[in-house]
Amino acid sequence: MTQPRLTVLAGPTAVGKGTVSTYIRDNYPEVWLSVSATTRPPRPGEVHGLHYFFVSTDEFDALVRDGELLEWAVVHGRNRYGTLRRTVQEAMDEGRTVLLEIDLQGARQVKESMPEANFVFLAPPTWDEMVRRLVGRGTETADEQRQRLETAKLELAAEPEFDHTVVNDSVEHAADELVSLMGLRPLQR
Ligand code: 5GP
C-alpha cells in the first residue's frame, strides 16, 4: 500500500484543473478535496463550504494574520485564494487521501513548507489546444490574448518543478491517472 499523503494539483490557467477536481469530487468520495477560502464572489450554483468558503476581504486578512492559511495567492491579479491549514491537517491526521487544487504560486509555497508532498502538474495535450482554450471564447481583445499566452508560456515552464505530469486529454483519463498517483485504484469502466 502506498502511504496516503497530500497531493497538490497545479498547472497553467485554462488547462482544466477545475474540471478534473470536480470530476474527482463527484466520482472519488475517498479523496478529501480541500475547500479553499476566497474573496471572489460566488458564481451561480456555487455553494459556501462545498466549492469555496466565500469570505470578505477583512475575513481573509484575518486568516492571513492569524496564520490560518497553508498558502495563499492573488489569482489573475484580482481575488485572493487560500488553503485552510487546520482542515487539511485534520484530514491528514485522519489518514485521508488529501488533494489540493491550487494555482502555481500556491503550489510553490506548499513545496516550501511540505517538500514531501506529491506535486502533480496538469498539462494541456498540446500547445495548440491550450491556445484554443485560452483564446477560444473570443471575449478578450488581441492584447489580452497575447498577455494570456505569455502567462501560459511561463506557467508551462514550471513543469520540471513537479514530481509528475498528467496530460489532460480527457477528464476521465486525467482523473484516473491522478488518483493512481495518489495510491488509489482508478474506477473500472
Ligand atoms: P476559480 O475562481 O475559477 O474557481 O479559480 C481560479 C484559480 O484559483 C484556479 O487556478 C484555482 O486553481 C485557483 N485556486 C483555487 N483555490 C486556491 C487556493 O486555495 N490557493 C491558491 N493558491 N489557488 C487557488
Side-chain angles (χ1 to χ4, degrees):
M1 267 301 280
T2 318
Q3 181 72 19
R5 57 180 178 157
L6 181 133
T7 297
V8 174
L9 179 69
T13 314
V15 77
K17 284 178 309 225
T19 319
V20 171
S21 62
T22 299
Y23 184 88
I24 288 188
R25 186 172 51 226
D26 294 344
N27 292 278
Y28 289 99
E30 63 272 46
V31 174
W32 187 87
L33 186 60
S34 170
V35 179
S36 300
T38 182
T39 58
R40 159 167 90 58
R43 297 185 186 127
E46 282 184 334
V47 177
H48 182 80
L50 176 66
H51 298 99
Y52 284 104
F53 293 104
F54 297 98
V55 300
S56 65
T57 54
D58 284 352
E59 286 167 327
F60 203 97
D61 286 344
L63 291 172
V64 173
R65 191 188 53 228
D66 299 342
E68 302 268 3
L69 300 178
L70 178 62
E71 60 74 35
W72 71 272
V74 176
V75 180
H76 300 318
R78 263 211 300 275
N79 294 300
R80 286 180 289 170
Y81 296 78
T83 302
L84 295 161
R85 187 192 300 280
R86 191 165 42 83
T87 56
V88 168
Q89 192 56 54
E90 282 169 6
M92 287 172 70
D93 291 347
E94 287 168 13
R96 305 289 304 270
T97 302
V98 172
L99 178 63
L100 311 184
E101 184 260 292
I102 58 179
D103 87 322
L104 280 172
Q105 310 167 74
R108 288 180 175 133
Q109 291 172 44
V110 177
K111 193 153 189 180
E112 289 288 312
S113 57
M114 303 174 103
E116 71 287 0
N118 189 19
F119 292 88
V120 180
F121 188 83
L122 191 67
T126 61
W127 171 255
D128 286 351
E129 174 60 21
M130 176 137 167
V131 172
R132 204 181 60 74
R133 288 183 196 173
L134 272 173
V135 304
R137 289 179 302 183
T139 46
E140 281 84 24
T141 64
D143 251 8
E144 283 166 347
Q145 291 182 357
R146 255 194 304 277
Q147 181 60 49
R148 279 169 168 256
L149 289 175
E150 277 309 310
T151 307
K153 256 188 223 162
L154 290 176
E155 291 175 334
L156 278 177
E159 184 181 345
E161 298 171 32
F162 286 73
D163 301 314
H164 304 281
T165 294
V166 167
V167 175
N168 191 14
D169 43 9
S170 82
V171 60
E172 292 88 354
H173 178 240
D176 288 356
E177 215 175 305
L178 177 62
V179 298
S180 302
L181 291 170
M182 296 170 76
L184 300 173
R185 200 196 317 207
L187 291 174
Q188 303 293 317
R189 295 195 184 81

